[in-house]
Amino acid sequence: MERPLDTPLIYDVGMHNGDDSAHYLAKGFRVVGVEANPALCAACEHRFSAAIAEGRMTIVNTGVGASVARLPFHINLRETQISTFALPKVINEEWATIDVDVSPLSTLIEHHGRPYYVKIDVEHFDQVVLEDLHRAGICPQYISAEAHQLEVFDWLLC
């Protein structure tokens, strides 16, 4: 039987409700789920309690960015998947803002291990995360990111 530390590691950056993490776990991977929204992290800690206890899942409640900081995070209360560090065009009753800790993804990787695959979905901050990985010389075998800007594609090249 393969030990958990021998299993390839996937980073689910912008984990949201954990649906992608559940898929990776079902395929036998270890997962580090990274999410800025503390309520979503709490729900995922409950959802993945068995995988966490087995050492196959780690949840990190932090945002990802260029440097260590504490930044305002805008949570959309109706559509949590569009929550973002970028200031929404319209702030209304659908949005709540909280301050959250932010770390470079490269720092998290130093702590939790080198990735086989990194999925990045952090609403308008994907480029910042990719730049950090590039500068740190971290080039996983597989990587995906949302492209809200063409520059995202430049940073996908290792």
Side-chain angles (χ1 to χ4, degrees), residues 147-158:
H148 291 282
Q149 303 162 312
L150 289 175
E151 292 80 11
V152 167
F153 294 108
D154 294 334
W155 293 105
L156 284 172
L157 302 173
C158 286

Side-chain angles (χ1 to χ4, degrees), residues 51-122:
I52 292 168
E54 295 166 356
R56 298 184 313 116
M57 177 81 183
T58 301
I59 295 175
V60 182
N61 184 196
T62 190
V64 288
S67 60
V68 174
R70 189 152 176 87
L71 298 174
F73 183 63
H74 310 286
I75 299 171
N76 188 289
L77 302 173
R78 283 186 345 110
E79 299 179 63
T80 54
Q81 71 275 12
I82 65 170
S83 299
T84 180
F85 286 101
L87 189 62
K89 291 179 183 175
V90 177
I91 297 284
N92 56 28
E93 68 279 349
E94 292 182 3
W95 292 91
T97 301
I98 62 171
D99 288 336
V100 299
D101 292 329
V102 174
S103 293
L105 182 58
S106 59
T107 301
L108 298 176
I109 289 170
E110 287 174 17
H111 182 73
H112 296 284
R114 288 277 181 168
Y116 167 72
Y117 169 53
V118 175
K119 181 222 82 178
I120 305 166
D121 183 359
V122 289

Side-chain angles (χ1 to χ4, degrees), residues 127-144:
Q127 178 180 340
V128 172
V129 179
L130 289 167
E131 288 177 31
D132 167 53
L133 293 180
H134 183 77
R135 287 191 179 105
I138 298 170
C139 195
Q141 188 167 349
Y142 298 100
I143 192 166
S144 65

